[in-house]
Amino acid sequence: MADNTEQLRKQIEDQGNVVRQLKASKADKIQVDEGVALLLELKDKLRVATGDSSSAKKDSKGGLTLKTPKGTKDYTAKEMSVRSEIFRTIVDVFERHGAVTIDTPVFELKEILTGKYGEDSKLIYDLKDQGGEECSLRYDLTVPFARHVAMNGIQSIKRYQIAKVYRRDQPAMTKGRMREFYQCDYDIAGSYDPMIPDAECVRVAVEVLSKLDVGAFVIKLNHRKILDAIFEVSGVPEDKVRTISSAVDKLDKLPWAEVRKEMTEEKGLDGAVADRIGTYVKLSGGEELLERLQALPELMASTKAQQGVADMALFFTYARIYNILDRVSFDMSLARGLDYYTGIIYEAVLVEENQQPSNPQPTATPAASKGPKGDELDESQVRVGSIAAGGRYDELVGMFLASRRGGKGGKKTDVPCVGISFGVERIYSIVMNRMRAREIKANRTAVYVISVKDGLLEERMRIATELWDNGIAAEFAYKVKPRLQSQYNTCDVDVVPWAVLIGKDEVEQGVVLIKNMAEKVAGQERGVTVKRSEMVAELKKRLE
């Protein structure tokens, strides 16, 4: 116990130094907040270790320590302005493709969520029994959507949903991995010809990430049937397929040696079987990878592999029409650990623009390029983080329908689905790190009504009313006689682009002075005087 206490004290001292260095170097606010959160967590552990703890943590003066729970955060007005713009951009793309929106409860019956997420099921937040129902906070928006489709007898829908989900994970705030976070989902449900909606989902992802200007990205693709065929021909026992699939999915973050070690030592897979898997999952490239797979007789002997390769050939045909070929990479290591995927799977990742392979192929994206040996590029060197993911899940709705009928299945009642989900928190972290706080406008105010010398409160109120009546967002100081500099300062802080200035002379002459506040900052104080009757028209022209 003493050794543990001393270790915690040393960790607290080290983390305190880290926080001080972050503050001294004026590091990003998110990094500082994460450092402080970790410091507080270590202090809490020390209190527990020394017997000085309680359910309601107190500060040195006996008051409550005000902090958000680990893995959550508050957002300021300026931060929310950026987030709202991200949401608007995403919704605009979704609706351009014909999607409608729905909403589902923040918690579901526990049995609805159970068994749908593979090894990640341990991350589901269970709620205490209330009213005789066992419930859990939703882990994603896909399973609730499938439940909604099954429950309401929907045969086809193109829907989007933006809502919070919850995961009992270890948070990494600077990377956008949190316990409470938003997902933005776009899904197409219904029976359609192969790969047509699938290709459009990837096109939607390319549009969203391009419009948000997240930087260089690539969308990695694979097919669950091809992956299942690889496990089958390699000799993976049926009861280990999903757990081995989860290990393979870590190849974007870990070298093959560590993934192989997990397969064999932690999950009990025979070493020879793991080596056979390795010959396949190290492959990546573009459309040409289809020919390489078709040239592997032991793999193509599998009906699953034949179906998967045929699907991917169709996808590349449609991707060429959608002008997204340069954004995708066919990557055999992509596995997606969720149990409900049945067809194509994809994941959008950021890549470092300055880390290119030594001899990239002319048509390859950074993550799809070949390495020096012409076989593969170590993508762990260029990967920054996953920002969107999804795939086809044809059996999830049918699973709910069959369950409702007491286990009696039937293909006619299945509703095939495919979709994409965007990790808003990671996208937000990227966008915020590129912006300076003083450039962010938290409100929509376009015009600030300013009085010079005399207060003129009632006249300022009349002008603001006229602007509101004409659809112009406007504000004025809530003082009878505000100071001129104070009014200017408000325009600067709130990034208000235009001001209407009045004094006693302007009121008597029936005119107003319209000033560009950005030019004021640049030292160009001169505005333009217009008749009061022309004020609205002049402002609308300038605001356009």
Side-chain angles (χ1 to χ4, degrees), residues 445 447-452 454-464 468 474-491 494 496 499-500 502:
T445 304
V447 178
Y448 201 83
V449 185
I450 296 176
S451 60
V452 181
D454 298 298
L456 301 172
L457 173 61
E458 293 183 5
E459 190 60 29
R460 284 184 287 132
M461 295 174 73
R462 290 189 187 95
I463 291 175
W468 295 333
E475 285 189 279
F476 60 93
Y478 292 164
K479 285 184 175 291
V480 174
K481 289 187 176 182
R483 293 188 302 110
L484 179 60
Q485 189 57 51
S486 175
Q487 296 172 88
Y488 277 174
N489 290 343
T490 299
C491 292
D494 291 346
V496 181
V500 169
I502 56 171

